Amino acid sequence: MDSKSISYIINELGEDRENYFNAVSPPIIQTSNFSFTKVDQLRKAFEDEYSTFLYSRGLNPTVRILSQKLAALDGAEDCLVCNSGASAIFAAVLSQVKSGDHIISVDQPYTWAQKLFNNILPKFDVSVTYVDGRAIENFEAAVRPNTRIIYLETPNSWSFYLQELEAVSKLARSKNVITICDNSYCTPLYQRPIDFGIDLVLQSATKYLNGHSDVVAGVLSGKKILIEKIFNSEYLNMGIGISPFNAWLILRGLRTLPSRLEKSSITTKKIISYLESRDEVEEVHYPFNPNFPQYKLAQKQMLGAGGLFSFVLKTKTIREIENFCEGLKHILMAVSWGGHESLVIPGCASIRPNEFDPNNKVHRRLRMYTGLEEADYLIEDLEGGFSKMA
């Protein structure tokens, strides 16, 4: 997808301005339902809600403008915009399994995907096998006759481990298995899993797509036959559609997506270079860092890596990690990523202090997102954090 195509999709696709007074910005159609003048029109709407504006739990004109753009960016036939990334995951997975089925998932996927696999699906006799996704052989060994889904997340948002999309999709097709990929890290601008044969692609629109930290949303893209099936079942039954206002906010955010990604990527390289020069830092994990073990694969299937990375501190105590984080004045300590603001989150926040093991790198790992601030501004703040460690 070239820059001209991206510009057209983001700024024009789906925006029939002559239908709304030639306004440059699309309207927010803030309505719950739509009226009809003929009974036959209403009857047809009941028969095919996927193609008709009937009730905003299903389709809404503002949401439809957004979904057209997001499907085109993904290289998909259609997409659904959900009220969270977690609901997009839930709908995608639930649509493809029944009692007795089996799922293969990469190790340590997004928290709420893992909770779905561990806590909810077993209630319905759906089992999950976790594999190290860095080797295709691990997927091959895990396939069973009742396997229905291979669930991917590439890169992972903490370890940044990658899966080879083309190899996994070929394996899945040979076994008649559906592939689902979480593409939140890259966005469609930096990776398009559908181009590698993946069936369903989802992402958190909360992050880069919206980019202003004021919306929670998710996206699910794929072939029309799959998307329509999900729309008529999980999407409508669970009521997971996004509101028109939040859709409009994401439309606003999309306008600047290429510029924001570029800015964040450039600054991140400077931040990583700085961190690698610090004695307090043991290692940095970033797919586009030449030192990253899967750097060649990242170069093959990704066009960029954005602003999310992690680093491991050299320390024997949890207190030093806490001092570092609490010593930052401008980089906020918070979950998520993809907004205008830089963020950090220590892995040790998910454990009790007495559980800290200095020999476990995961406990000493911090994840950082580089926002739109200038590199020098962020480096100065990081220096302040390092000065507070002892």
Side-chain angles (χ1 to χ4, degrees), residues 90-386:
F90 199 100
V93 172
L94 198 64
S95 71
Q96 301 301 320
V97 293
K98 63 183 184 304
S99 179
D101 285 345
H102 172 249
I103 296 171
I104 301 170
S105 171
V106 290
D107 278 331
Q108 301 298 315
Y110 170 59
T111 303
W112 293 104
Q114 195 164 3
K115 288 180 183 292
L116 169 64
F117 296 150
N118 293 348
N119 302 335
I120 297 177
L121 293 183
K123 296 178 182 179
F124 304 96
D125 191 29
V126 175
S127 60
V128 179
T129 299
Y130 293 103
V131 300
D132 182 339
R134 290 174 291 180
I136 187 63
E137 293 80 9
N138 296 332
F139 290 103
E140 293 170 342
V143 174
R144 303 176 186 173
N146 61 334
T147 300
R148 295 293 174 263
I149 293 174
I150 295 179
Y151 187 88
L152 310 172
E153 181 184 310
T154 183
N156 175 273
S157 62
W158 272 91
S159 67
F160 306 105
Y161 291 158
L162 280 68
Q163 301 96 59
E164 188 173 359
L165 293 170
E166 188 172 14
V168 175
S169 69
K170 286 182 178 178
L171 169 66
R173 290 181 189 280
S174 72
K175 304 294 184 179
N176 197 30
V177 172
I178 288 288
T179 46
I180 302 174
C181 180
D182 186 336
N183 195 40
S184 298
Y185 180 88
C186 284
T187 83
L189 268 61
Y190 283 171
Q191 181 173 265
R192 299 214 304 179
I194 286 174
D195 290 348
F196 295 94
I198 300 301
D199 296 302
L200 288 169
V201 178
L202 56 88
Q203 57 190 303
S204 169
T206 308
K207 298 174 173 63
Y208 289 119
L209 297 184
N210 178 59
H212 291 73
S213 298
D214 53 11
V215 168
V216 174
V219 182
L220 178 58
S221 300
K223 289 185 177 179
K224 182 179 177 181
I225 189 172
L226 292 174
I227 297 300
E228 185 172 4
K229 175 179 179 288
I230 295 169
F231 174 85
N232 286 321
S233 182
E234 290 76 17
Y235 189 81
L236 289 178
N237 271 282
M238 294 190 293
I240 59 174
I242 192 174
S243 71
F245 180 63
N246 281 351
W248 183 86
L249 288 173
I250 298 174
L251 283 168
R252 171 211 58 182
L254 277 182
R255 311 294 198 192
T256 59
L257 176 61
S259 299
R260 289 186 286 105
L261 277 173
E262 182 180 16
K263 168 69 174 177
S264 182
S265 299
I266 291 172
T267 305
T268 295
K269 292 177 183 178
K270 296 177 181 178
I271 299 299
I272 288 176
S273 179
Y274 163 74
L275 289 173
E276 289 180 329
S277 73
R278 297 289 309 202
D279 293 336
E280 301 92 337
V281 175
E282 184 172 322
E283 56 192 57
V284 178
H285 305 146
Y286 184 64
F288 266 39
N289 187 333
N291 296 326
F292 187 70
Q294 293 179 288
Y295 176 69
K296 288 185 178 179
L297 178 58
Q299 293 280 307
K300 174 184 175 182
Q301 63 187 29
M302 296 164 57
L303 297 177
L308 194 68
F309 64 94
S310 62
F311 59 99
V312 177
L313 290 177
K314 293 178 184 176
T315 180
K316 295 295 183 181
T317 70
I318 193 172
R319 186 66 248 177
E320 287 190 333
I321 299 172
E322 293 172 348
N323 287 345
F324 171 82
C325 293
E326 293 167 8
L328 300 171
K329 297 185 181 300
H330 306 298
I331 301 170
L332 305 178
M333 186 159 41
V335 300
S336 198
W337 73 87
H340 57 86
E341 73 288 0
S342 292
L343 305 172
V344 69
I345 182 170
C348 64
S350 63
I351 61 171
R352 300 283 184 179
N354 63 347
E355 297 173 333
F356 179 76
D357 178 5
N359 296 315
N360 186 342
K361 288 184 180 181
V362 171
H363 291 183
R364 295 185 284 116
R365 185 175 62 186
L366 296 87
R367 189 180 73 184
M368 180 172 170
Y369 164 67
T370 305
L372 302 182
E373 304 94 337
E374 296 301 320
D376 291 345
Y377 180 79
L378 297 174
I379 289 171
E380 182 178 343
D381 200 29
L382 289 167
E383 287 179 345
F386 286 123

